[in-house]
Amino acid sequence: MPRKVDPRQRRTLIADALMRVAADRGLEAVSLRHVAAEAGVSAGMVQHYFTTKDEMMAFALSVVRDRGQARVEAAVAALGADPQPRLLLRTLLAALLPLDDAAREDGRVALAFLSWTALHPAAAPGLRPDTARLVEFIAGLLPRPPAPPAGRAEAASDAAAGLLALVEGLGVYLLGGQYTPAQATAALDHQLDLLFA
Amino acid sequence: MPRKVDPRQRRTLIADALMRVAADRGLEAVSLRHVAAEAGVSAGMVQHYFTTKDEMMAFALSVVRDRGQARVEAAVAALGADPQPRLLLRTLLAALLPLDDAAREDGRVALAFLSWTALHPAAAPGLRPDTARLVEFIAGLLPRPPAPPAGRAEAASDAAAGLLALVEGLGVYLLGGQYTPAQATAALDHQLDLLFA
């Protein structure tokens, strides 16, 4: 009697294949046929789990994001109980940067997806609330701003939104080779110096 | 007698077609055939000017960058003579953000290229020195840092590298819809508040 297939596991197998294709050859090479060949399954099997390319993309992006989340959680857990907010934030943000091979591969795929979703917003409906939650979490770790300049009430979330954008930009420049890892971490530390001054 | 063709002009016509294809349908749709159809020329003509896809990409990216440069120069020129460093910097950086339709279209293409070059570094050999020059220029406009923390000598260029990364990240989040234009400009202004405090 054949073993029952776990649909989530099969989907993840296919998404992993998709990500290898995207990381090695770019999103333009991602097709039902290529992904099926990479996963070692039939094109019909891929189509059974993912009806459209958008759907395949959205699921693969969620896998990349889950892996990023796991990296962040492992780094934060290694800090032990009750780390200082600055150390916690530094650890969390550095874990988001593509500084090793695994993170670089995921980063390249994430960048390809961001570029894809700039054209196909429906492919990543969760991106906006995810980012908003992360900005809110970062804002909670930053020191309270002294007094907001006249007419601006949102200094804490502006600072958090800026910090997250800075980390995203550092990631882009690390992947493109414009910044070295040393430059990127120095820029991050300098920003934390500014925010925790 | 047929009019003499300006090769630069013909290349630009083809690159414009490439960018329309990339902006409308993504880089995966960019091919000799599609670009030729969009430009209204033969595939052989495209091949005459661009031997490889990398070469076509690199030229189109340079066109996007030149347009960005022109936008920045126009915005800065509108400030008149001797603007304050903060105002000059704010104007320059805001002009880099995809805040209107033309800048959004170029931004989508630029993001697609960044994603492409993360896989094909040879496609954009000028990216690294261009970024380094921009970081240096920004560093020259920032106030001198008070005293670098022990062991760190590069505070001015760290600040500039961070500021440019922040703007790049804001651009990515504007294109993906994670940040609104109001959020992005508030985050930029907050960063300038920090740096010019």
Side-chain angles (χ1 to χ4, degrees), chain A residues 104-163:
Chain A
R104 280 184 71 84
E105 177 154 327
D106 281 359
R108 275 201 297 271
V109 176
L111 183 57
F113 281 117
L114 284 176
S115 160
W116 173 263
T117 55
L119 282 170
H120 307 86
L127 221 51
R128 191 171 181 162
D130 279 2
T131 305
R133 266 192 299 275
L134 191 48
V135 167
E136 204 184 328
F137 182 75
I138 293 172
L141 292 173
L142 291 176
R144 301 305 309 163
R152 260 184 264 145
E154 298 280 346
S157 74
D158 289 347
L163 179 57

Side-chain angles (χ1 to χ4, degrees), chain B residues 16-181:
Chain B
D16 278 344
L18 188 160
M19 283 185 292
R20 284 195 303 274
V21 171
D24 291 350
R25 284 179 280 165
L27 273 184
E28 70 275 16
V30 169
S31 68
L32 217 75
R33 196 167 54 79
H34 279 138
V35 172
E38 178 74 29
V41 302
S42 68
M45 172 67 77
V46 175
Q47 216 155 14
H48 175 73
Y49 287 97
F50 300 100
T51 325
T52 64
K53 186 167 171 173
D54 271 7
E55 218 179 287
M56 206 153 67
M57 296 290 187
F59 183 74
L61 181 56
S62 77
V63 173
V64 167
R65 293 173 76 86
D66 288 352
R67 282 196 210 157
Q69 178 95 19
R71 258 195 296 274
V72 167
E73 279 168 11
V76 168
L79 294 176
D82 292 323
Q84 293 293 309
R86 176 176 173 156
L87 178 61
L88 175 56
L89 197 52
R90 207 269 181 203
T91 304
L92 184 161
L93 296 173
L96 292 175
L97 290 177
L99 291 170
D100 63 34
D101 284 347
R104 281 184 70 85
E105 176 154 329
D106 281 358
R108 274 200 298 269
V109 176
L111 183 58
F113 281 115
L114 284 175
S115 161
W116 173 263
T117 55
L119 283 170
H120 306 86
L127 221 49
R128 193 171 180 161
D130 279 2
T131 305
R133 266 193 299 276
L134 191 48
V135 167
E136 203 184 329
F137 182 74
I138 292 171
L141 290 174
L142 290 176
R144 302 304 309 162
R152 259 184 265 146
E154 299 280 347
S157 74
D158 289 347
L163 179 56
L164 186 61
L166 181 143
V167 171
E168 187 73 43
L170 291 178
V172 170
Y173 287 161
L174 279 167
L175 292 172
Q178 291 103 307
Y179 288 0
T180 62

Side-chain angles (χ1 to χ4, degrees), chain A residues 12-197:
Chain A
T12 304
L13 176 92
I14 294 171
D16 278 343
L18 187 161
M19 284 185 291
R20 286 195 303 276
V21 171
D24 292 349
R25 285 179 281 164
L27 274 185
E28 70 275 16
V30 170
S31 68
L32 218 75
R33 197 167 53 80
H34 279 139
V35 172
E38 178 74 29
V41 301
S42 69
M45 174 68 77
V46 174
Q47 215 156 15
H48 174 73
Y49 286 97
F50 299 100
T51 325
T52 64
K53 186 167 172 176
D54 271 8
E55 219 180 285
M56 206 153 68
M57 295 290 186
F59 183 74
L61 180 57
S62 76
V63 173
V64 167
R65 292 174 78 85
D66 288 353
R67 282 196 208 155
Q69 177 94 18
R71 259 195 295 274
V72 166
E73 279 167 12
V76 169
L79 293 176
D82 293 324
Q84 292 293 309
R86 177 176 171 154
L87 178 62
L88 175 56
L89 197 52
R90 207 268 180 204
T91 305
L92 184 161
L93 296 173
L96 292 175
L97 290 177
L99 291 170
D100 63 34
D101 283 348
R104 280 184 71 84
E105 177 154 327
D106 281 359
R108 275 201 297 271
V109 176
L111 183 57
F113 281 117
L114 284 176
S115 160
W116 173 263
T117 55
L119 282 170
H120 307 86
L127 221 51
R128 191 171 181 162
D130 279 2
T131 305
R133 266 192 299 275
L134 191 48
V135 167
E136 204 184 328
F137 182 75
I138 293 172
L141 292 173
L142 291 176
R144 301 305 309 163
R152 260 184 264 145
E154 298 280 346
S157 74
D158 289 347
L163 179 57
L164 186 62
L166 181 143
V167 170
E168 187 72 44
L170 291 178
V172 170
Y173 287 162
L174 279 166
L175 293 171
Q178 291 102 307
Y179 288 179
T180 63
Q183 270 180 300
T185 48
L188 174 58
D189 284 326
H190 181 268
Q191 182 69 10
L192 294 174
D193 286 345
L194 279 178
L195 291 167
F196 285 85

